[in-house]
Amino acid sequence: MPAHYSLSETEEAVKRRLGPIPVRREALAAVSNLYRAAAAVRQHLENSALRSADLTWSAFVVLWVVWIWEEIETRHAAAEAGISKGTLTGIIKTLESRGLAVRRQHPDDGRLALLRLTPEGLALMEKLFPAFNDEESFVVGALDDEESLHLADTLRRIITHLEEHGEERRENLRRESPAPPRRGGRRRSS
Amino acid sequence: MPAHYSLSETEEAVKRRLGPIPVRREALAAVSNLYRAAAAVRQHLENSALRSADLTWSAFVVLWVVWIWEEIETRHAAAEAGISKGTLTGIIKTLESRGLAVRRQHPDDGRLALLRLTPEGLALMEKLFPAFNDEESFVVGALDDEESLHLADTLRRIITHLEEHGEERRENLRRESPAPPRRGGRRRSS
DNA sequence: AGCAGGTCGTACGCATACAAACGATCTAGC
DNA sequence: GCTAGATCGTTTGTATGCGTACGACCTGCT
């Protein structure tokens, strides 16, 4: 879904609108393009490699994580996939209903659940992953290998920075001006 | 939400699992980190600058687009925000219910709808955008200005590449192996 | 033994998110 | 004028996605 206005048109409109408001344009451009690129890449992969298997991005990422680790605790699967444990519950349901993964109780700790692929899930990943990786190659097709690695490294620095200092930053902001809780969430059963 | 396993642990597990399967690792690393970084950045911005206004990322992006263009057709707003027109309908509903934006009919073409900010929406953006931009700066805090610009440029090349050649690529893949339609979507009323 | 406090997976509420279907509307050709 | 096709915004169905609530369960202290 390409944008309707051209880059230069948008630049002009932003300048007109922001006027005297000071802007860090490098940060704005980097964050804006980061999100747009991620959305475009996800869109492409869902509509190419993942389309034939009728999998969403998140479902595939969960399958990938479980595949790599053979058997994994659900809490770790959520962390590796980068989603919340609540979201993972729904995705596991979808995968189980399609016979691609199974859940079982942890033998020692009754609170934990373990996740595995079924033989069908295993066969699917062995067939699907090469096609997925081919599309990943296409996605970075405008870059050579060195540039791709440099990009990966730059992004990793952003991720690490946020993991190490993000919570502290958000806490300081909340101290300055207490924020309302996010919408949603189960209501108290009165 | 940091990953549970370390990078080197994961590298080992991937090697063990993939075995003889050939992998383009630069592409895998770039795409993987791209998505993780985008999710982390969105998470941080929603929980910092956007938290005080109780806005989601998508709602903010729509407000931003409407703010910049003063008045905009909804189809263009969807394209600029990078979401589908169906999704935009729901977001506009949320924004209207909070008195931040209004919809009106196009004077000449009855099919079109125009989107504007209310005075409250305008005041919100004038207060909120500087705070948002500050957090964007924090997010790329591990990079200097030159690196941020280089990152933005690299990402822009990926976006352009997908916009220009993505559809063609997907069409060729569909020709080779016809794919089932994606799940979801309204069912035929029999 | 009992229980307080923590952690886990799940249920739930709200808001996205997309694709497909739909009704209203415009337009081109007659 | 009329109508077939195109286009628009909205609706509907399926699936995430997060934060919160909650019951089950484990651990450590007594």
Side-chain angles (χ1 to χ4, degrees), chain A residues 148-165:
Chain A
S148 294
L149 284 175
H150 186 270
L151 171 63
D153 181 65
T154 304
L155 293 171
R156 196 185 44 69
R157 287 166 62 201
I158 292 180
I159 297 169
T160 304
H161 175 61
L162 282 173
E163 283 182 354
E164 287 176 357
H165 307 295

Side-chain angles (χ1 to χ4, degrees), chain B residues 20-46:
Chain B
I21 302 177
V23 193
R24 281 193 215 275
R25 293 179 188 279
E26 327 81 42
L28 194 157
V31 169
S32 169
N33 285 0
L34 173 59
Y35 197 73
R36 290 294 283 252
V41 166
R42 174 176 171 159
Q43 197 86 19
H44 174 78
L45 286 166
E46 283 189 335

Side-chain angles (χ1 to χ4, degrees), chain B residues 42 56 58 84 87 94 109-110 185-186 188-189:
Chain B
R42 174 176 171 159
T56 63
S58 299
S84 74
T87 300
T94 302
D109 192 331
R186 189 168 174 173
R188 205 170 305 260
S189 58

